[in-house]
């Protein structure tokens, strides 16, 4: 299998390098040829034109700056995509993946979408993750190469947008908000004269505890198990009000805590007060009437 | 050392049991004697009155429903506290800990505050945590017993309110908000037809990644290291806007994501755009003019 990588920024270069190391033939094109030059020494065939690059590969990996850059690069070369596989590793909106899947099909090519969930420096490791979605046959034909790029990669659904939905949900709504919450906590501790990096602050305790609870919640969710024999949602809400009061009292803005309180208040108003904390998942959609 | 436990609800009973198992003499009192009765079979001396209970111990552990219940129980018995140690394991506001420390000092007793950061079922395990603050000598005299109750327990500061500040920051602002963010992510995935408990969703990946990033951020914070060679705060803000747009597009309220975006917008307006994500900690306080 011969791969063409379009775009050799930090991530594109790391992906091209991982594929060569895994024994694949790799050609690459970059808008600014000078920045790609060092890759030639690593066995990657640098192409002067998109045309040349597309002809050199059976599958085309898109890792340009964004969708507009990808459209610019491919414009006028659609004929060369026929019979090939397009693997789009740029993360974007789910609807963009759907549109690109349709455009690819029109050009006679198959489409796989992927969202890279790690840093360029993690590429080519066992722990790195690319979530893929779209054509299951393309996944099946290329998953060996994709796993050489990121060992934990997985196929998450046949909807082309599924990888981007997962990215928005887990990289965005969960991971990024959790780190934002940590920043609010850090700020609050600094204002209280407590250095959160001190070992007795036991930050690792909270991260291990979070993992345990999060995996338990996923299991409960699977069974639509919203009742509880432990603290009810209303009991959590009371605790959250007290914690927020403490933060406001020392001049913290407590923005995430306030939004969190608001979510639980809406869940309580929706009748979840005597259910468990997890039951709030049933009341976070906007009702359209 | 003889301990008196006031309040034998789920947590009080677990603490009393752990102390007896560790070889200490334990007396207990509960407002509703019937509920405490089974503890007698486990070697705990049940007392009919607060007076009797206070006389039986060198240190008094408070685990009543709340501060009002503790004040009710101790009213009129303050004289019996002289020369003893009061260990308050009820979590509350930092200023309540300060007030109780003062009242305890007036009664001629020493004070240690503690915030229990685990479930009753985790008591008497190595991994369980009670954060303690206040009189360092009291911690020194009782930490063996406290660690028998919760193995990872630590002394976090001489300010009596420090354990409650840490509780609001880590149990509240970090842990609880992170689980709330997970609920928003779960709700979004369900609405998109993706079951988050499926193994290929790789929830464990995100929790391990979060731990790695959080510990790295604490280290950077220690050195006031707010610059970055990776993605800047403005780059994160752009990603968060896109993720939020994706969520709103499928009818999710995205409350935490909106508050998170707001925090980064304020940080960007405060001049942190070209710094790292962590630099937002410098702009979460309310400026009083």
């Amino acid at each position: 299998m011969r791969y063409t990588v379009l775009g050799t920024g930090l991530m594109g270069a790391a992906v091209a390098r991982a594929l060569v190391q895994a024994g694949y033939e790799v050609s690459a094109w970059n808008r600014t040829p000078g920045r790609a030059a060092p890759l030639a020494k690593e066995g990657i065939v640098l192409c002067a034109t998109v045309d040349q690059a597309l002809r050199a590969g059976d599958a085309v990996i898109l890792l340009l700056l964004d969708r507009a850059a990808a459209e610019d690069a491919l414009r006028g070369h659609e004929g060369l995509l026929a019979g090939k596989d397009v693997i789009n590793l740029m993360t974007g909106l789910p609807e963009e993946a759907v549109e690109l899947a349709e455009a690819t099909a029109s050009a006679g090519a198959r489409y796989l979408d992927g969202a890279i969930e790690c840093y360029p420096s993690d590429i080519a490791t066992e722990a790195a993750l690319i979530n893929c979605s779209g054509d299951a046959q393309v996944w099946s034909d290329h998953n060996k190469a994709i796993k050489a790029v990121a060992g934990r990669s997985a196929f998450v659904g046949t909807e082309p947008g599924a990888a981007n939905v997962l990215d928005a949900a887990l990289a965005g709504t969960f991971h990024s908000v959790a780190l934002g919450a940590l920043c609010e906590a850090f700020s609050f501790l600094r204002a209280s004269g407590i250095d959160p990096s001190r070992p007795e602050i036991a930050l690792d305790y909270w991260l291990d505890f979070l993992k345990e609870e999060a995996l338990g919640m996923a299991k409960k969710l699977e069974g639509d198990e919203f009742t509880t024999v432990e603290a009810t949602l209303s009991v959590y809400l009371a605790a959250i009000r007290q914690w927020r009061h403490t933060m406001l009292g020392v001049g913290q803005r407590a923005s995430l805590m306030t939004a969190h309180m608001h979510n639980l208040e809406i869940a309580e108003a929706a009748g979840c007060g005597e259910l468990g904390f997890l039951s709030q998942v049933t009341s976070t959609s906007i009702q359209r009437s």
Side-chain angles (χ1 to χ4, degrees), chain A:
Chain A
M1 196 74 74
R2 301 170 308 152
Y3 289 94
T4 293
V5 177
L6 298 187
T8 57
L10 268 184
M11 191 60 93
V15 168
R17 214 173 272 134
L19 288 170
V20 160
Q21 280 162 10
Y24 296 100
E25 273 182 50
V26 181
S27 304
W29 171 87
N30 198 49
R31 179 171 302 273
T32 321
R35 297 181 65 180
L39 291 174
K41 292 184 194 140
E42 305 184 53
I44 293 153
V45 179
L46 296 183
C47 301
T49 65
V50 171
D51 233 83
Q52 204 182 327
L54 292 180
R55 286 179 202 279
D58 308 305
V60 181
I61 295 173
L62 304 181
L63 265 169
L64 296 136
L65 184 65
D66 55 21
R67 191 195 173 190
E71 284 175 350
D72 274 0
L74 291 174
R75 191 168 298 124
H77 309 286
E78 291 84 354
L80 291 172
L81 294 177
K84 305 205 169 181
D85 296 331
V86 172
I87 303 173
N88 170 26
L89 296 186
M90 303 181 296
T91 307
L93 297 174
E95 59 263 35
E96 289 176 347
V98 173
E99 286 164 18
L100 198 51
E102 286 166 359
T104 303
S106 303
R110 302 188 303 177
Y111 183 81
L112 186 71
D113 200 87
I116 300 181
E117 305 296 9
C118 63
Y119 295 117
S121 55
D122 298 321
I123 290 294
T125 66
E126 268 309 303
L129 174 67
I130 302 177
N131 282 326
C132 295
S133 57
D135 188 324
Q137 193 55 51
V138 182
W139 166 254
S140 171
D141 292 348
H142 296 282
N143 81 77
K144 211 177 141 215
I146 294 170
K147 285 179 179 172
V149 171
R152 271 210 60 168
S153 296
F155 184 72
V156 297
T158 52
E159 290 289 329
N164 285 336
V165 167
L166 258 185
D167 183 70
L170 296 181
T173 305
F174 174 58
H175 185 75
S176 179
V177 170
L179 289 177
L182 188 65
C183 286
E184 278 199 10
F186 279 174
S187 165
F188 173 39
L189 288 175
R190 272 159 68 94
S192 308
I194 296 173
D195 168 7
S197 72
R198 280 161 44 200
E200 69 271 29
I201 300 309
L203 202 51
D204 62 323
Y205 174 88
W206 291 104
L207 292 153
D208 293 339
F209 191 18
L210 187 67
K211 181 173 180 177
E212 192 185 319
E213 298 232 272
L215 296 178
M217 274 167 60
K219 218 176 143 64
K220 281 188 176 179
L221 187 71
E222 191 189 5
D224 274 347
E225 199 183 320
F226 296 130
T227 57
T228 186
V229 292
E230 290 165 346
T232 63
L233 187 139
S234 290
V235 167
Y236 277 102
L237 178 54
I240 287 157
R241 285 190 174 122
Q242 178 167 292
W243 283 321
R244 179 171 172 269
H245 182 81
T246 298
M247 291 182 72
L248 293 174
V250 293
Q252 293 293 301
R253 203 166 58 233
S255 305
L256 286 171
M257 206 50 163
T258 301
H260 184 41
M261 179 182 78
H262 186 221
N263 273 344
L264 292 193
E265 282 173 346
I266 291 172
E268 192 180 56
C272 297
E274 296 306 308
L275 298 174
F277 181 87
L278 178 65
S279 68
Q280 65 184 289
V281 301
T282 61
S283 62
T284 66
S285 296
I286 301 158
Q287 296 293 327
R288 292 189 180 88
S289 58

Coordinates of all heavy atoms in Angstrom, one line a residue, chain A residues 155-203:
Chain A
F155 N -12.3 2.1 15.1 CA -13.4 2.5 14.2 C -14.6 2.7 15.1 O -15.1 1.8 15.8 CB -13.7 1.4 13.2 CG -14.7 1.7 12.2 CD1 -14.4 2.7 11.2 CD2 -15.9 1.1 12.2 CE1 -15.4 3.0 10.2 CE2 -16.9 1.5 11.2 CZ -16.6 2.4 10.2
V156 N -15.2 3.9 15.0 CA -16.2 4.3 16.0 C -17.6 4.4 15.4 O -18.6 4.5 16.1 CB -15.9 5.6 16.8 CG1 -14.7 5.4 17.6 CG2 -15.8 6.8 15.8
G157 N -17.8 4.2 14.1 CA -19.1 4.2 13.5 C -19.1 4.5 12.0 O -18.1 5.0 11.5
T158 N -20.2 4.1 11.3 CA -20.2 4.2 9.9 C -20.7 5.6 9.4 O -20.5 6.0 8.3 CB -21.2 3.2 9.3 OG1 -22.4 3.3 9.9 CG2 -20.6 1.8 9.4
E159 N -21.2 6.4 10.4 CA -21.5 7.8 10.0 C -20.2 8.6 9.9 O -19.4 8.5 10.8 CB -22.3 8.5 11.2 CG -23.7 8.0 11.4 CD -24.6 8.5 10.3 OE1 -24.4 9.6 9.8 OE2 -25.6 7.8 10.0
P160 N -20.0 9.2 8.7 CA -18.7 9.9 8.5 C -18.4 10.9 9.7 O -17.2 11.1 10.0 CB -18.8 10.6 7.2 CG -20.0 9.9 6.5 CD -20.9 9.4 7.5
G161 N -19.5 11.5 10.2 CA -19.2 12.5 11.3 C -19.0 12.0 12.7 O -18.7 12.7 13.6
A162 N -19.1 10.7 12.8 CA -19.0 10.1 14.2 C -17.7 10.4 14.9 O -17.7 10.7 16.1 CB -19.2 8.6 14.1
A163 N -16.6 10.4 14.2 CA -15.3 10.7 14.8 C -15.3 12.1 15.3 O -14.7 12.4 16.4 CB -14.1 10.4 13.9
N164 N -15.8 13.0 14.6 CA -15.9 14.5 15.0 C -16.9 14.7 16.2 O -16.6 15.5 17.0 CB -16.2 15.4 13.8 CG -15.0 15.6 12.9 OD1 -13.9 15.4 13.3 ND2 -15.3 15.9 11.6
V165 N -18.0 13.9 16.2 CA -18.9 14.0 17.3 C -18.2 13.5 18.6 O -18.2 14.2 19.6 CB -20.2 13.1 17.1 CG1 -21.0 12.9 18.3 CG2 -21.0 13.7 16.0
L166 N -17.5 12.4 18.5 CA -16.7 11.9 19.6 C -15.7 12.9 20.1 O -15.4 13.1 21.3 CB -16.0 10.6 19.3 CG -16.7 9.3 19.8 CD1 -15.8 8.2 19.5 CD2 -16.9 9.4 21.3
D167 N -15.0 13.6 19.1 CA -14.0 14.6 19.5 C -14.7 15.7 20.2 O -14.1 16.1 21.3 CB -13.4 15.1 18.2 CG -12.3 16.1 18.4 OD1 -11.2 15.6 19.0 OD2 -12.4 17.3 18.2
A168 N -15.8 16.2 19.7 CA -16.5 17.3 20.4 C -16.9 16.9 21.8 O -16.9 17.7 22.8 CB -17.7 17.8 19.6
A169 N -17.4 15.6 21.9 CA -17.9 15.1 23.2 C -16.7 14.9 24.2 O -16.8 15.3 25.4 CB -18.7 13.9 23.0
L170 N -15.7 14.1 23.8 CA -14.7 13.7 24.8 C -13.5 14.6 24.8 O -13.1 15.0 25.9 CB -14.3 12.2 24.5 CG -15.5 11.3 24.7 CD1 -15.1 9.8 24.5 CD2 -16.1 11.4 26.1
A171 N -12.9 15.0 23.7 CA -11.8 16.0 23.7 C -12.3 17.3 24.2 O -11.7 18.0 25.0 CB -11.2 16.1 22.4
G172 N -13.5 17.7 23.7 CA -14.1 19.0 24.1 C -14.8 19.0 25.4 O -14.3 19.5 26.4
T173 N -16.0 18.5 25.3 CA -16.9 18.7 26.5 C -16.4 18.0 27.7 O -16.5 18.6 28.8 CB -18.3 18.1 26.1 OG1 -18.8 18.7 24.9 CG2 -19.3 18.4 27.2
F174 N -15.8 16.9 27.6 CA -15.2 16.3 28.8 C -13.8 16.8 29.1 O -13.6 17.5 30.1 CB -15.3 14.7 28.8 CG -14.6 14.1 30.0 CD1 -15.0 14.5 31.3 CD2 -13.5 13.3 29.9 CE1 -14.4 14.0 32.4 CE2 -12.8 12.8 31.0 CZ -13.3 13.1 32.2
H175 N -12.9 16.4 28.3 CA -11.4 16.7 28.6 C -11.1 18.1 28.8 O -10.5 18.5 29.8 CB -10.6 16.0 27.5 CG -9.1 16.1 27.8 ND1 -8.5 15.2 28.6 CD2 -8.2 16.9 27.2 CE1 -7.2 15.5 28.6 NE2 -7.0 16.5 27.8
S176 N -11.5 18.9 27.9 CA -11.1 20.4 27.9 C -11.8 21.1 29.1 O -11.2 21.8 29.8 CB -11.5 21.0 26.6 OG -11.1 22.4 26.6
V177 N -13.1 20.8 29.3 CA -13.9 21.4 30.4 C -13.2 20.9 31.7 O -13.1 21.7 32.7 CB -15.4 21.1 30.4 CG1 -16.1 21.5 31.7 CG2 -16.0 21.8 29.2
A178 N -12.9 19.6 31.8 CA -12.3 19.1 33.1 C -11.0 19.9 33.4 O -10.7 20.2 34.5 CB -12.0 17.6 33.0
L179 N -10.2 20.1 32.4 CA -8.9 20.9 32.6 C -9.2 22.4 32.9 O -8.5 23.0 33.7 CB -8.0 20.8 31.4 CG -7.4 19.4 31.1 CD1 -6.5 19.4 29.9 CD2 -6.5 19.0 32.3
G180 N -10.3 22.9 32.3 CA -10.7 24.3 32.7 C -11.2 24.3 34.2 O -10.9 25.2 34.9
A181 N -11.9 23.2 34.6 CA -12.3 23.2 36.0 C -11.1 23.1 36.9 O -11.1 23.7 38.0 CB -13.2 21.9 36.2
L182 N -10.1 22.4 36.5 CA -8.8 22.3 37.2 C -8.2 23.6 37.4 O -7.7 24.0 38.4 CB -7.9 21.3 36.6 CG -6.6 20.9 37.4 CD1 -7.0 20.2 38.6 CD2 -5.7 20.1 36.5
C183 N -8.2 24.4 36.3 CA -7.7 25.8 36.4 C -8.5 26.6 37.4 O -7.9 27.4 38.1 CB -7.7 26.4 35.0 SG -6.4 25.8 33.9
E184 N -9.8 26.5 37.4 CA -10.6 27.2 38.4 C -10.2 26.8 39.8 O -10.1 27.6 40.7 CB -12.1 27.0 38.2 CG -12.7 27.9 37.2 CD -14.3 28.0 37.2 OE1 -14.9 27.6 38.2 OE2 -14.8 28.6 36.3
A185 N -10.0 25.5 40.0 CA -9.6 25.0 41.3 C -8.2 25.5 41.7 O -8.0 25.9 42.8 CB -9.6 23.4 41.3
F186 N -7.3 25.5 40.7 CA -5.9 26.0 41.0 C -5.9 27.4 41.4 O -5.2 27.8 42.3 CB -5.1 25.8 39.7 CG -4.5 24.4 39.4 CD1 -3.8 24.2 38.3 CD2 -4.7 23.4 40.4 CE1 -3.3 22.9 38.0 CE2 -4.1 22.1 40.1 CZ -3.5 21.9 39.0
S187 N -6.7 28.2 40.7 CA -6.8 29.6 40.9 C -7.3 29.9 42.4 O -6.8 30.7 43.1 CB -7.7 30.3 39.9 OG -8.1 31.6 40.3
F188 N -8.3 29.1 42.7 CA -8.9 29.2 44.0 C -7.9 28.8 45.1 O -7.8 29.5 46.2 CB -10.1 28.3 44.0 CG -10.8 28.1 45.3 CD1 -11.0 29.1 46.2 CD2 -11.3 26.9 45.7 CE1 -11.7 28.9 47.4 CE2 -12.0 26.6 46.8 CZ -12.2 27.7 47.7
L189 N -7.1 27.8 44.9 CA -6.1 27.3 45.9 C -5.0 28.4 46.0 O -4.6 28.7 47.1 CB -5.6 26.0 45.5 CG -6.5 24.8 45.6 CD1 -5.9 23.5 45.1 CD2 -6.9 24.6 47.1
R190 N -4.6 28.9 44.9 CA -3.5 30.0 45.0 C -4.0 31.2 45.8 O -3.3 31.7 46.6 CB -3.2 30.4 43.5 CG -2.1 29.6 42.9 CD -2.1 29.8 41.4 NE -1.8 31.1 40.9 CZ -0.6 31.5 40.5 NH1 0.4 30.6 40.6 NH2 -0.3 32.7 40.1
A191 N -5.3 31.6 45.5 CA -5.9 32.7 46.2 C -5.9 32.4 47.7 O -6.0 33.3 48.6 CB -7.2 33.0 45.7
S192 N -6.0 31.1 48.1 CA -6.1 30.7 49.5 C -4.7 30.3 50.1 O -4.6 29.8 51.2 CB -7.0 29.5 49.6 OG -8.3 29.7 49.0
G193 N -3.7 30.6 49.3 CA -2.3 30.4 49.8 C -1.9 28.9 49.8 O -1.0 28.5 50.6
I194 N -2.6 28.1 49.0 CA -2.3 26.6 49.0 C -1.7 26.3 47.6 O -2.3 26.5 46.6 CB -3.5 25.8 49.2 CG1 -4.1 26.0 50.7 CG2 -3.2 24.3 49.1 CD1 -5.4 25.4 50.9
D195 N -0.4 25.7 47.7 CA 0.2 25.3 46.4 C -0.3 24.0 46.0 O 0.0 23.0 46.6 CB 1.8 25.3 46.7 CG 2.5 24.7 45.5 OD1 1.9 24.4 44.5 OD2 3.7 24.5 45.7
P196 N -1.0 23.9 44.9 CA -1.6 22.6 44.5 C -0.6 21.5 44.1 O -1.0 20.4 43.9 CB -2.6 22.9 43.4 CG -2.2 24.3 42.9 CD -1.4 25.0 44.0
S197 N 0.6 21.9 43.9 CA 1.6 20.9 43.4 C 2.2 20.1 44.6 O 2.9 19.1 44.4 CB 2.7 21.5 42.5 OG 3.5 22.2 43.3
R198 N 1.9 20.6 45.8 CA 2.4 19.9 47.0 C 1.9 18.5 47.1 O 0.7 18.3 46.8 CB 2.0 20.6 48.3 CG 2.9 21.9 48.6 CD 2.2 22.8 49.6 NE 1.6 22.1 50.7 CZ 0.6 22.7 51.4 NH1 0.2 23.9 51.2 NH2 0.1 22.0 52.4
P199 N 2.7 17.5 47.4 CA 2.2 16.1 47.3 C 1.1 15.8 48.2 O 0.2 15.0 47.9 CB 3.5 15.3 47.7 CG 4.6 16.2 48.1 CD 4.2 17.6 47.7
E200 N 1.0 16.5 49.4 CA -0.1 16.2 50.3 C -1.4 16.7 49.8 O -2.5 16.4 50.4 CB 0.2 16.7 51.7 CG 0.2 18.2 51.9 CD 1.6 18.8 51.6 OE1 2.3 18.3 50.8 OE2 1.9 19.9 52.2
I201 N -1.4 17.5 48.7 CA -2.7 18.0 48.1 C -3.3 16.8 47.3 O -4.5 16.8 47.1 CB -2.4 19.2 47.2 CG1 -1.8 20.3 48.0 CG2 -3.6 19.7 46.5 CD1 -2.5 20.7 49.3
A202 N -2.5 15.8 47.0 CA -3.1 14.5 46.5 C -3.9 14.7 45.3 O -5.0 14.1 45.1 CB -3.9 13.8 47.6
L203 N -3.4 15.4 44.3 CA -4.0 15.6 43.0 C -4.2 14.3 42.3 O -5.3 14.0 41.7 CB -3.2 16.5 42.2 CG -3.9 17.3 41.0 CD1 -5.1 18.0 41.5 CD2 -2.9 18.3 40.4

